[in-house]
Amino acid sequence: MRISFADQKDSALLSINQNQEETTRLSNEISTGSKLTAPGDDPSAWSQSMNFRQGLREYDSILNNIDYATGWNQATDSALNGMTDLLSQARQTAISAQGANGMEDPSALVSSLDGVLKQMVSVANSQYGDQYVFSGTAGSSTPPFSLNDTTGVVTYSGDSGHIGVKTDKGSGSSFTVNLSGDEAFDFQSGGQTLNVIQEVWKLKNAISNGDTTTVAAELGTLDTASQSIGQQSVVTGSRLATLQNQQTAINVLKTDGQTRLSDLSDADMADAITQLQQYKTAYQAALQVTATMDNVSLLNYLTT
Amino acid sequence: MPGLTLTLETAKQTLLNTQLEIQTASHNISNAQSKGYARQTAQVESSPAVYTPAGWLGTGATVTQVTESRDQFVEQRLRNANSDASQYTNLTTELSSIQTAFNDNGTTGISQALGAFWDSWGQLVQDPTNLSQQTGVYQAAQGLATTIQSTYQRLNTMATNDIPGQLQDTVNQANTLINQIANLNTAIANNSSTGFQPNDLIDKRYQALSDLSALIPVQYNENASGVVTVTTTNANGPLTIVSGGTATPISTSSTITGGQFGGLTQSLTDLTSYMSRLNDFAGTLITQVNTIHTQHSGPVVFTGTDASTITASTTFLNNQASADENTRASQMSSLQDSTITFTDGKQSTFTQYLSDIQNQVGTDSQQAQTDESFSTALQTQLTTQQQSVSGVSIDEETVNLIQFQQIYQAAAKVVDIASQMLSAVMAVIK
């Protein structure tokens, strides 16, 4: 077979170019750490890795929601605990008022209960971040609970709505984060809906008026109130436990997603470096051959 | 009467023959680097013998014709390979630009903006009346709309400007070559009537055919007088573009299915289908998002109908201090995991739809790359074959030159001896 002058040059150039192209591709793969640079490299791996990347983003968003819901429920839990403590203080005061010596120095008891009431309103208006924990979804900028100290009327400006956040992948229902103000601090007693703060005010009023019958009745009502808050505490506790489980599950899924993404798109360094070495050798060989062949011609051996 | 005069005459003819042969070798060497050139050979034949009392006596040789070496079969296959290689190389290049224009690996481009959009709703759920979260959603919606629009715009520029421009250039070049081939046909027909092959005009025509085959598919038939009829292939079958001296130009609206022209039209078809899918994506996104957000008298999030018109609505920013926002934002956050029926009938989540577009682009591009590397390898192999028949080997020409030189020297020696013998005869006469 005759090898023409023009073709000899071209085929030398072709193999040099091919080797150069491969070494460039491999060194790019090694330096970026990714074997996918365009969808055409591996269409199915590319589109799968896109889905995994979006999945990982969503897991991060869900973990953020779980953190938020956990923080909120912890704030709720400590507010409920605070309320329980204040209720037991109010009960202690009521018991003191019922002492064997009759009502002694009601003004001291009243001022103690005034302090309790103030703290109760403050606890009911607890905030998480800049949001009121017990305002439902009303999201107002003013505190949801207020007490009219003259009439004893407790006004709730929030609503009974629930904040739902996404704490799981999937299009299912959202996770309820909050207790609304009425859920937390209203309770049923004797067929009536009563408010915890209002009942303490009634106690204070009775002590102030020396009305021992009412004081005795309020003592019972406050017990029921305490139980009701205890139940809400259980709800919050179980929510916290659920969130903990979901966080663990999402973290496992996230790690799994990262591993699979890495399998799909990360460069196999050992393989890439070995291949690069091979192409480099081939490249050098091609250059060497071209340089050698350039000097080979019959003309070099002819003397005139 | 043959004698020393005939010997001198024969030697003179040999000297002239070798000069022609050396000139042909020199011409070959001059064109050694040109791939369109076909190696020429001076054909030497014995001259007619004369009858003498001793019998038929040879009278040397003459150069009858300078021919060129071509294998028509290899040439035609090489033209076809040129068309294929050029078609897939162009398609690969265009698809690679399209991939770059999308710039979407799941954390860049539209996917990134879409992710930020879903995340912003996740934030809004936590605190629906917080102004900074609301602004965050608006900005994410605006970012998404802008990214979709600019991606679409980049693709649209390619579809309406870049590729049609290249197509026009291809058509102009092809028409120039078609005219050139028709003109060369006329020139070759005129010259062939002298009885000798006009090798260099034929070379030019082969080169033009070769160049044309990169632009559009080319088949040709050569008739007895050396004139070629050139046809290309379009949707309706063969189409004659050169017949004798008549050229039929092509236009950008031709349905030619190969070569650079075919590669460009195919990339345009592919691009149009990606753009239509992007429109389906944007249209469905607008509808789904607005449907959720207009519940409980909420404002729309997006205005527009497709990828070129999608815009974040400003009424959304100023009008959402409502307790229903939590419900809406929560549903919106869940929309990312919902399987949606898109306007093209495909059922998937938004994320999957985007990755499916990329999968389509990638698969088309991968196929084009495979076709390109196959057709380029075939082209290389056929070029080697063609060059093996028609190409110039310097070594071969050098060996031929030595041969011609020795024949020349031998003929000169014959002249020298014959001349000495004639001198001897002259001396006797004196």
Side-chain angles (χ1 to χ4, degrees):
Chain A
M1 176 151 161
R2 307 169 63 256
I3 301 297
S4 82
F5 181 71
D7 196 41
Q8 199 179 356
K9 300 277 176 207
D10 277 11
S11 53
L13 210 57
L14 187 73
S15 58
I16 289 175
N17 281 342
Q18 274 172 352
N19 281 311
Q20 208 165 20
E21 211 173 289
E22 285 299 322
T23 45
T24 311
R25 183 183 67 76
L26 284 165
S27 59
N28 188 36
E29 183 177 323
I30 292 166
S31 62
T32 58
S34 168
K35 65 183 169 196
L36 300 175
T37 52
D41 293 344
D42 186 345
S44 91
W46 181 276
S47 66
Q48 279 183 52
S49 69
M50 277 178 76
N51 291 339
F52 277 119
R53 287 198 175 102
Q54 281 299 308
L56 288 173
R57 176 202 52 75
E58 200 183 335
Y59 288 139
D60 282 340
S61 168
I62 290 169
L63 285 173
N64 176 293
N65 282 343
I66 290 177
D67 280 350
Y68 166 80
T70 306
W72 185 290
N73 275 289
Q74 279 164 351
T76 309
D77 198 41
S78 63
L80 291 175
N81 286 340
M83 200 55 104
T84 311
D85 289 349
L86 289 168
L87 272 177
S88 78
Q89 270 188 48
R91 281 189 74 241
Q92 291 296 332
T93 315
I95 290 164
S96 319
Q98 282 185 315
N101 309 334
M103 227 174 274
E104 250 180 63
D105 194 9
S107 65
L109 298 176
V110 167
S111 84
S112 149
L113 281 179
D114 267 338
V116 168
L117 277 171
K118 218 172 253 169
Q119 283 190 53
M120 277 186 152
V121 172
S122 152
V123 165
N125 288 333
S126 309
Q127 281 182 298
Y128 175 64
D130 57 357
Q131 290 173 273
Y132 290 100
V133 175
F134 300 106
S135 72
T137 52
S140 74
S141 51
T142 51
F145 283 98
S146 61
L147 170 68
N148 185 324
D149 204 32
T150 333
T151 60
V153 172
V154 173
T155 312
Y156 175 54
S157 59
D159 59 24
S160 53
H162 288 129
I163 298 175
V165 296
K166 197 171 152 63
T167 56
D168 206 351
K169 202 164 174 346
S171 53
S173 59
S174 58
F175 183 87
T176 306
V177 176
N178 65 325
L179 291 173
S180 64
D182 41 12
E183 260 178 335
F185 304 123
D186 284 359
F187 63 100
Q188 301 291 323
S189 175
Q192 278 182 304
T193 304
L194 303 172
N195 180 278
V196 176
I197 303 171
Q198 199 163 11
E199 293 314 306
V200 174
W201 182 87
K202 282 183 191 163
L203 175 67
K204 186 192 85 170
N205 202 34
I207 293 173
S208 169
N209 295 340
D211 180 352
T212 46
T213 327
T214 311
V215 171
E218 283 304 324
L219 209 55
T221 315
L222 289 185
D223 271 347
T224 318
S226 196
Q227 278 165 18
S228 161
I229 288 177
Q231 278 165 11
Q232 297 305 329
S233 232
V234 172
V235 171
T236 310
S238 85
R239 279 182 189 163
L240 282 168
T242 309
L243 288 169
Q244 179 72 48
N245 286 340
Q246 275 174 337
Q247 188 174 34
T248 314
I250 295 291
N251 274 324
V252 169
L253 287 171
K254 192 180 155 187
T255 312
D256 181 55
Q258 277 164 339
T259 314
R260 294 185 58 188
L261 176 63
S262 160
D263 284 350
L264 283 170
S265 64
D266 286 0
D268 181 346
M269 284 297 177
D271 187 48
I273 291 168
T274 316
Q275 275 193 51
L276 179 66
Q277 198 59 47
Q278 283 171 355
Y279 278 110
K280 213 176 108 189
T281 312
Y283 181 41
Q284 278 167 345
L287 288 176
Q288 190 79 49
V289 166
T290 310
T292 314
M293 289 309 291
D294 251 10
N295 295 326
V296 179
S297 167
L298 184 58
L299 293 169
N300 295 341
Y301 299 93
L302 296 177
T303 46
T304 45
Chain B
M1 162 78 194
L4 285 174
T5 327
L6 178 63
T7 308
L8 269 177
E9 196 56 37
T10 306
K12 185 192 87 185
Q13 192 60 47
T14 309
L15 290 176
L16 291 176
N17 286 350
T18 46
Q19 279 174 38
L20 276 175
E21 286 174 321
I22 287 170
Q23 173 55 30
T24 308
S26 169
H27 186 50
N28 284 344
I29 291 170
S30 290
N31 287 288
Q33 86 287 9
S34 156
K35 280 213 160 172
Y37 178 80
R39 181 169 54 98
Q40 297 184 0
T41 316
Q43 301 292 341
V44 181
E45 281 177 27
S46 299
S47 302
V50 292
Y51 189 74
T52 65
W56 291 100
L57 189 63
T59 60
T62 41
V63 172
T64 51
Q65 168 104 277
V66 178
T67 57
E68 61 173 15
S69 315
R70 281 202 192 270
D71 181 333
Q72 292 299 341
F73 182 63
V74 174
E75 293 283 344
Q76 181 63 64
R77 286 179 65 201
L78 181 59
R79 300 293 160 263
N80 294 345
N82 277 347
S83 296
D84 286 351
S86 167
Q87 175 182 0
Y88 294 118
T89 306
N90 275 282
L91 185 59
T92 306
T93 313
E94 294 307 326
L95 286 174
S96 154
S97 303
I98 293 170
Q99 288 180 10
T100 315
F102 264 110
N103 181 31
D104 191 347
N105 72 356
T107 48
T108 55
I110 299 180
S111 289
Q112 187 273 334
L114 184 66
F117 179 67
W118 297 134
D119 283 350
S120 73
W121 287 105
Q123 293 290 319
L124 186 65
V125 171
Q126 296 176 3
D127 197 355
T129 51
N130 186 317
L131 187 64
S132 70
Q133 311 287 24
Q134 291 172 10
T135 313
V137 170
Y138 173 70
Q139 278 172 345
Q142 206 176 24
L144 178 58
T146 313
T147 313
I148 292 176
Q149 272 208 30
S150 63
T151 305
Y152 185 83
Q153 212 41 256
R154 280 199 293 274
L155 298 177
N156 198 38
T157 308
M158 289 183 74
T160 55
N161 199 14
D162 300 354
I163 299 178
Q166 288 184 57
L167 208 53
Q168 185 61 55
D169 286 351
T170 308
V171 167
N172 292 347
Q173 283 175 37
N175 285 338
T176 309
L177 288 166
I178 290 169
N179 281 323
Q180 203 180 333
I181 293 167
N183 293 339
L184 284 164
N185 259 346
T186 313
I188 289 166
N190 293 341
N191 277 284
S192 295
S193 56
T194 59
F196 293 105
Q197 254 195 87
N199 290 325
D200 296 295
L201 289 177
I202 292 174
D203 278 348
K204 277 211 175 90
R205 192 178 61 192
Y206 271 111
Q207 186 60 51
L209 279 167
S210 172
D211 291 348
L212 184 62
S213 72
L215 304 174
I216 56 174
V218 163
Q219 286 84 38
Y220 59 89
N221 287 308
E222 192 171 338
N223 71 10
S225 57
V227 171
V228 291
T229 303
V230 185
T231 56
T232 186
T233 316
N234 70 7
N236 305 321
L239 172 76
T240 305
I241 44 177
V242 178
S243 173
T246 315
T248 313
I250 60 166
S251 79
T252 48
S253 56
S254 300
T255 53
I256 293 165
T257 49
Q260 187 171 323
F261 187 96
L264 289 171
T265 46
Q266 196 180 333
S267 68
L268 202 55
T269 312
D270 287 350
L271 181 55
T272 313
S273 97
Y274 308 148
M275 284 165 67
S276 133
R277 292 199 68 187
L278 198 56
N279 273 333
D280 288 339
F281 170 80
T284 311
L285 180 77
I286 295 167
T287 319
Q288 293 285 338
V289 167
N290 284 348
T291 304
I292 289 179
H293 208 261
T294 47
Q295 292 178 106
H296 312 291
S297 321
V300 296
V301 178
F302 291 115
T303 57
T305 51
D306 58 20
S308 60
T309 53
I310 183 170
T311 318
S313 162
T314 43
T315 54
F316 167 74
L317 181 62
N318 303 321
N319 182 21
Q320 55 175 326
S322 153
D324 299 317
E325 193 58 40
N326 176 269
T327 318
R328 289 195 295 246
S330 167
Q331 284 186 34
M332 203 71 88
S333 196
S334 294
L335 184 59
Q336 61 185 309
D337 289 325
S338 307
T339 301
I340 311 287
T341 306
F342 285 81
T343 41
D344 63 356
K346 283 214 159 67
Q347 290 192 326
S348 66
T349 64
F350 283 108
T351 300
Q352 284 164 357
Y353 194 82
L354 280 181
S355 71
D356 191 48
I357 298 180
Q358 288 296 298
N359 193 5
Q360 193 191 346
V361 178
T363 308
D364 289 345
S365 168
Q366 195 184 37
Q367 183 61 48
Q369 281 173 32
T370 311
D371 289 342
E372 184 197 1
S373 66
F374 173 75
S375 57
T376 312
L378 185 65
Q379 186 191 27
T380 309
Q381 200 200 344
L382 285 167
T383 305
T384 310
Q385 275 187 32
Q386 188 268 345
Q387 284 292 302
S388 160
V389 177
S390 305
V392 176
S393 158
I394 299 275
D395 288 349
E396 187 187 18
E397 298 301 327
T398 311
V399 172
N400 287 344
L401 274 176
I402 295 169
Q403 199 186 343
F404 302 145
Q405 189 187 10
Q406 283 178 350
I407 294 170
Y408 188 88
Q409 282 168 345
K413 191 73 187 168
V414 172
V415 173
D416 186 27
I417 290 170
S419 145
Q420 281 178 30
M421 287 166 77
L422 277 173
S423 301
V425 173
M426 294 300 176
V428 172
I429 293 168
K430 189 173 75 176

